[in-house]
Structures are given as C-alpha cells and as structure tokens.
Amino acid sequence: MRAGFYTGNYTYEVRDVPERAPIKDEVKIEVAWCGLCGTDLHKFNGQNGASVVNPPIILGHECSGIVVEVGPECKYFKPGDRVTCDPSYGCGKCIWCQQGLPNFCLERHGVAKGFADYVYPPEQNVYHISNHLDLQSAALAEPLSCVIHGLDLIQIQSGKTVAIYGMGSIGLLMLQLVRYTGAGKIIVVEKETIKQKLALKLGADMAVNSDQLEQISKEENIDYVIECIGLKKTMEQAIHVAGKNAKVLLFGLGNPKQPLQFNQFEAYTKELSIYTSYLNPQTTNRAVHFLESGLLNIKDMISAELSLEEMGNELRNHIYSKQGKVMVYLSGKR
Ligand SMILES: [Zn+2]
Ligand SMILES: [Zn+2]
C-alpha cells in the first residue's frame, strides 16, 4: 500500500509499505479521505504538532473510510461498515488517564495515520457513521471534536458577543458551532476578502480586519475572543480586544519559541480568563452527531481534493491550504 511520509528536512515521499491483516481488536480500514491539518504543515516545517515529531512519520490523522477486515478480538465492526477515526488514545493506566484526562496521557498512542491506503486503529478509536453522511465530511470528525472540546471549556452564554480570529478550517468550524450555541453576535477577524465572504455565508454577523475589531472593542464589550491562527501578534491582540469579564480561548497552535506578552494590569482590570485547549478528550462521538445532523456546511469549506502524490507540492507551497480545507483522496469513495 502507499503511504505519505514526512521524512525530515522539508521532504515528503510517497513510499510503498507492506499491507497486513489486522491483529487483536484492530479494524482495517480502506481510507477514503484524509484532511490536511495545520499540524501536518507544522510538522513539515520542522516544528512540533500537538506532540514531538521524529521522522520518518506518516502524515495525516483526520481520516474516514470503509472497514475491509477486522481482527479476531474485534466486537463492534464488520467489513463494509462506514467509519471515521479518533487518531489517538490514552494508555488507561497513567495518573492522567486515571483522572479521566486522557489528552494528557504520558504515553499517548497515535493510530490511524491517514495519508495511507489502509489504517489499523483498535476498535476503541473507530466510530460508525450513518449512511446519509458522506465520507468526505466524516473525515472532519477529528478537527471538529477538538473544536467541541475548546467550546466546552469556555461555555458560551446565549446572546453574548463573540469574536473569532482566522477563518481557516478550524475557524470556519468554530464559527458554525458558535452560531449554534446561541451567540448574540459573531464578529470574525480575517484579512482575506474571499474568506470574509465565506464567513458571512456560514453565519458570521460581521467580518472585519484586526484594526476594525480594535475600534469595535472600544465601543462594545466583546465577551468571548477565540483565536484560531496561532500567531503571537493575533494572540496578543485577542487578549487586548477582549472586554470586561471576558473569556479568551487561544486555540491556534503557537510557536514554542515565541512567548506572548500582555499587560497583566489591563487583564486584571478586565477580570480576564484565558483558556487554551488540548486535543479532543471523549468528544469524537459528539462530532459525528454534529456532522450527521447536517447543520454544518462542510462542502463550502473545502478548497481542494488532492492525491497522495500531489501533497508534496501542497506541503511546500500551501496553495490550497491558504484558501480552505484540503482533502486528500485515497479511495475517494463518498
Ligand atoms: Zn487535525
Ligand atoms: Zn495514560
């Protein structure tokens, strides 16, 4: 089978790796689609993703597909099932797993590296999807589950004003979920006109640039600010424009070598709460339900469908990932 590897030093290679039968409770899945995540781009650029990177590694962790074979101990899946995956699980034994915090597991196991024709996750990481949900949308269960966890942390109250920085694929998912939490007003901060238009179509009340948001923040209280870019500048701005008693969620993946600076006195006088969000503890099931509800517009978020072989160029040049969500097709089944 083919697999797309990050081999270190800004290089990507499609290699042939042996295909095998599933063992124990593994589910062998013929991958249909895999989303390109911002963390894949980080890894390709020599930075860490959500964890440390030791190449060569197979990229991708947002995949969906069809079960082709199951291991002898597998109970809940059979060939032909349509599924999506959670790409990692906790050991169940360490101090963090014992506290119900598997996202901090000391030996987190990565599975379902989706830039490959087949993946072999254990069944605890596999989720059934209904027949009416297309496999391409189902591949977004992982990023959506991360967004759900972030929103769980800040508990948006209905009627309040929310600003969201960055309309990449995470920002667009965030926007649509925030709409359904009953936010009173959603202001998105985005410099690209084409993405501003898309944000307005997907439920934003206003789309502005960062200077305009700064002006707005002087006239009205921004109750929640969600940063989905990960740049020092925009994260610092997010803290600055947040209003009295506001909550700031720094969701974007920042550069570990660039600590933020902010004025503590200003934060103090606003009684600010600053949140971060790490991975997706037990939220995949809810992500699948949300996708199945049909409430989310996934189609308009997708900027390109590329083959495994075309990903080298995309990882180097970010042509389509700048415009929206890039989907890699493996079998390409819907
Ligand atoms: Zn991801
Ligand atoms: Zn653990």
Side-chain angles (χ1 to χ4, degrees):
M1 68 170 196
R2 298 169 306 154
F5 282 84
Y6 168 59
T7 49
N9 239 336
Y10 305 97
T11 47
Y12 169 84
E13 262 174 47
V14 178
R15 294 182 180 173
D16 196 41
V17 298
E19 200 185 317
R20 61 173 177 86
I23 54 165
K24 295 182 183 170
D25 69 340
E26 284 178 347
V27 181
K28 180 174 178 179
I29 301 166
E30 179 197 42
V31 179
W33 294 92
C34 185
L36 174 68
C37 179
T39 58
D40 292 314
L41 296 170
H42 275 95
K43 290 171 189 169
F44 185 78
N45 289 319
Q47 298 157 6
N48 290 335
S51 53
V52 179
V53 176
N54 294 312
I57 51 158
I58 302 177
L59 292 174
H61 56 263
E62 304 177 355
C63 68
S64 63
I66 296 177
V67 177
V68 288
E69 197 180 344
V70 297
E73 292 162 27
C74 179
K75 283 188 193 157
Y76 298 100
F77 296 88
K78 59 178 188 321
D81 286 353
R82 294 156 52 80
V83 296
T84 188
C85 301
D86 177 1
S88 66
Y89 66 93
C91 69
K93 301 171 208 167
C94 73
I95 50 164
W96 300 112
C97 285
Q98 284 184 330
Q99 292 173 67
L101 299 167
N103 47 333
F104 305 120
C105 176
L106 298 176
E107 42 179 304
R108 234 186 135 66
H109 300 271
V111 290
K113 304 286 182 206
F115 278 30
D117 288 318
Y118 296 95
V119 292
Y120 306 79
E123 64 182 336
Q124 72 189 81
N125 285 69
V126 187
Y127 293 74
H128 286 284
I129 62 164
S130 66
N131 283 336
H132 69 263
L133 177 63
D134 69 285
L135 286 166
Q136 189 183 62
S137 303
L140 271 80
E142 191 273 342
L144 185 59
S145 67
C146 295
V147 165
I148 288 173
H149 178 57
L151 290 178
D152 279 353
L153 294 172
I154 60 170
Q155 294 287 320
I156 294 175
Q157 293 180 332
S158 55
K160 299 263 187 173
T161 297
V162 183
I164 307 174
Y165 277 81
M167 288 292 114
S169 48
I170 288 290
L172 290 167
L173 288 173
M174 197 66 88
L175 162 65
Q176 296 188 70
L177 254 65
V178 167
R179 185 82 279 171
Y180 290 112
T181 63
K185 184 175 185 178
I186 305 174
I187 308 168
V188 306
V189 187
E190 171 57 58
K191 59 180 196 292
E192 311 272 351
T193 321
I194 185 160
K195 286 191 186 172
Q196 285 194 349
K197 281 202 182 118
L198 180 56
L200 292 168
K201 184 176 174 189
L202 298 187
D205 297 293
M206 293 172 78
V208 300
N209 62 35
S210 53
D211 292 340
Q212 290 168 313
L213 185 70
E214 186 136 7
Q215 196 51 44
I216 292 168
S217 73
K218 288 177 186 144
E219 291 148 20
E220 54 185 291
N221 203 62
I222 301 178
D223 303 298
Y224 301 86
V225 187
I226 304 173
E227 204 276 358
C228 303
I229 302 173
L231 291 176
K232 176 174 156 70
K233 191 175 160 204
T234 45
M235 288 194 278
E236 287 171 354
Q237 267 176 17
I239 293 169
H240 179 60
V241 298
K244 305 280 190 209
N245 196 232
K247 293 180 177 179
V248 177
L249 172 59
L250 301 177
F251 196 89
L253 180 56
N255 182 338
K257 296 190 182 107
Q258 289 189 331
L260 302 188
Q261 278 191 322
F262 68 97
N263 185 324
Q264 188 276 340
F265 184 79
E266 183 193 306
Y268 159 69
T269 55
K270 296 196 287 194
E271 202 175 64
L272 209 60
S273 303
I274 298 175
Y275 291 75
T276 58
S277 172
Y278 188 58
L279 304 179
N280 58 343
Q282 264 105 43
T283 47
T284 306
N285 204 281
R286 290 159 64 196
V288 170
H289 287 164
F290 228 120
L291 290 164
E292 288 177 342
S293 75
L295 289 167
L296 304 178
N297 180 338
I298 302 295
K299 289 275 163 298
D300 283 335
M301 290 173 47
I302 294 178
S303 59
E305 298 174 351
L306 302 178
S307 69
L308 211 49
E309 288 75 15
E310 288 169 314
M311 288 314 296
N313 189 33
E314 182 59 26
L315 286 163
R316 279 187 297 275
N317 300 312
H318 309 177
I319 301 162
Y320 299 104
S321 26
K322 269 191 199 135
Q323 298 163 24
K325 186 77 180 172
V326 171
M327 300 302 296
V328 186
Y329 60 86
L330 284 302
S331 79
K333 286 179 185 165
R334 309 268 169 177

